[in-house]
Structures are given as structure tokens and as C-alpha cells.
Amino acid sequence: DAGVTQSPTHLIKTRGQQVTLRCSPKSGHDTVSWYQQALGQGPQFIFQYYEEEERQRGNFPDRFSGHQFPNYSSELNVNALLLGDSALYLCASSLASIGIHEQYFGPGTRLTVT
Amino acid sequence: AQKVTQAQTEISVVEKEDVTLDCVYETRDTTYYLFWYKQPPSGELVFLIRRNSFDEQNEISGRYSWNFQKSTSSFNFTITASQVVDSAVYFCALSESLANAGKSTFGDGTTLTVKP
């Protein structure tokens, strides 16, 4: 039973560029949440997708957008990258009927913006 | 606004010592949920426990125990007889409701190092 997977593992981008991060949820899960974790800080909620729609959103600008596909996998897109976007991006999946508290996290994508 | 404070940035203990990680929270909600997560060097957050605001019973799971006290807005985590494998960053988190647990507010974490 595959857990949550994320790709790529590491990524280096230049300011102003755009990036796409990918997440495959745990088998059987239908909800995907994205978090940003800056160095030395706790994760911050970006948004959550369920049934291919954004269901909840944290305090992140519109430069952060996402998508969920029919197979429940998800993408996080960040436009016009800033140095401050450098962070570990975590994806978490869950099953809506059980509740979001039963979240399973992936290993994350380390994004470095230079 | 919700806030979670983990005052201990780093803790270092020797194997077999007991260690307590502190968590203090702030919320105006009467119904809320508290969580502890473990983040080993691999980076994946591992869910440890969830507690709702109506259940102040302490919980023990093996070497782990949690002490929830609404009177002091604290949700402390104790590891008994620590082991090297317990070395990780531990996060406390607060959510206003279970349905919104994806919007949890996390503390900045406590880095625990257990030396052999």
C-alpha cells in the first residue's frame, strides 16, 4: 500500500520563475492538503482540494494555485517565485468521510529559489 | 486568532531519560482540537495524537503520554525512557474544528535529540 508520494524531491528555481509540484495521495484517499514549511518553522496551511475543487485556503497569495485530478492526485503551482518561497512543501492526504485529522504526509519537496 | 507556542526550541537528553515537550495554545473557540506530530529527518510528518477540547483525560500510548489541561491552555507531551529513535522535531498544532483540521495552526516545533 503506497503512501503519499511527492515529486520532485528537490528543486532549484530562479526568482520570477514558475514551479509545479506534484502529489499522489495514499491509496483510497480523496482529499489533498498542501503546506509550506519554512526552515525552523512549523507547517503553514496553503489549501485543500476535494472533488477537484479548492475547499479551504490559508493566507497565501494568488500566486499559489492548485489542481486536483480525477485520480485524486494534485499539483501545487507557484508563479512569480520570490526568495521567500524557499521552503519544504508538504502534501497530506486523507479520506473525507473519516476526517482531515487522519492526515498522512508525504516526504515533501524542497524548493530553493535563488 | 489562534496561536501555538512551543517555548523549547531544542532539547537534548541521554537515552533512557524522561523528557517533556511543552505546548501552550491560544484560541477563542470553545470547540477545538489539538494535535502532536513527529517529523524525523526524512521530513514526513507523522501523526501522533488528536485531542478535542471536551476531553481532558490524559492518554498513554506505550512510552508516550499526553497531559491536556484547559485551565492552563497546555497540551504537554512526555516520552518515558527516551530512545535514540525518538530524535526528531515535534510539532504541536491547534485546529478550530475537526472539519477544518487542514487549517491547523502549528507551533514552531521542538527539536529533540536523544544521545546514546
Side-chain angles (χ1 to χ4, degrees):
Chain A
D1 181 21
V4 180
T5 59
Q6 293 185 243
S7 64
T9 306
H10 296 87
L11 204 53
I12 300 176
K13 289 286 188 177
T14 304
R15 273 181 300 176
Q17 286 187 319
Q18 178 264 346
V19 67
T20 297
L21 310 182
R22 296 176 177 81
C23 171
S24 291
K26 180 178 169 63
S27 179
H29 283 185
D30 56 12
T31 302
V32 173
S33 300
W34 286 92
Y35 296 81
Q36 180 195 67
Q37 185 178 14
L39 198 61
Q41 297 182 16
Q44 285 195 306
F45 177 75
I46 303 174
F47 44 52
Q48 180 188 97
Y49 277 84
Y50 172 67
E51 292 187 339
E52 302 180 49
E53 291 190 0
E54 183 182 292
R55 190 166 71 167
Q56 297 180 61
R57 189 179 183 90
N59 295 323
F60 279 81
D62 293 343
R63 297 187 299 109
F64 290 77
S65 63
H67 188 76
Q68 186 179 34
F69 300 94
N71 66 353
Y72 307 118
S73 67
S74 177
E75 289 182 348
L76 164 64
N77 301 294
V78 186
N79 295 322
L81 285 168
L82 304 174
L83 294 179
D85 295 332
S86 295
L88 178 68
Y89 288 85
L90 295 166
C91 168
S93 75
S94 58
L95 186 59
S97 60
I98 291 179
I100 193 69
H101 66 283
E102 296 290 348
Q103 293 188 92
Y104 290 80
F105 283 82
T109 293
R110 173 72 63 187
L111 172 64
T112 301
V113 182
T114 61
Chain B
Q2 297 180 329
K3 184 178 180 181
V4 175
T5 302
Q6 295 180 255
Q8 305 149 307
T9 305
E10 296 182 12
I11 299 177
S12 181
V13 299
V14 177
E15 206 170 20
K16 297 184 182 178
E17 286 185 11
D18 298 347
V19 58
T20 295
L21 309 182
D22 298 333
C23 173
V24 175
Y25 62 91
E26 296 177 27
T27 180
R28 296 178 184 173
D29 298 313
T30 56
T31 301
Y32 53 88
Y33 296 83
L34 295 162
F35 306 80
W36 274 97
Y37 292 88
K38 174 182 180 180
Q39 187 173 40
S42 62
E44 297 181 41
L45 278 169
V46 177
F47 168 80
L48 296 177
I49 191 172
R50 169 179 61 94
R51 241 340 175 224
N52 70 55
S53 52
F54 299 109
D55 183 1
E56 287 193 72
Q57 274 194 333
N58 292 330
E59 182 160 335
I60 297 174
S61 176
R63 296 184 297 106
Y64 294 172
S65 63
W66 292 269
N67 183 352
F68 175 31
Q69 292 193 342
K70 286 180 72 171
S71 60
T72 56
S73 296
S74 65
F75 186 42
N76 296 336
F77 173 31
T78 297
I79 301 174
T80 303
S82 60
Q83 299 176 1
V84 172
V85 293
D86 295 327
S87 297
V89 183
Y90 291 86
F91 290 96
C92 179
L94 166 70
S95 174
E96 60 186 8
S97 71
L98 203 57
N100 288 330
K103 295 184 72 173
S104 294
T105 300
F106 283 77
D108 284 337
T110 295
T111 300
L112 174 64
T113 301
V114 182
K115 299 177 181 177

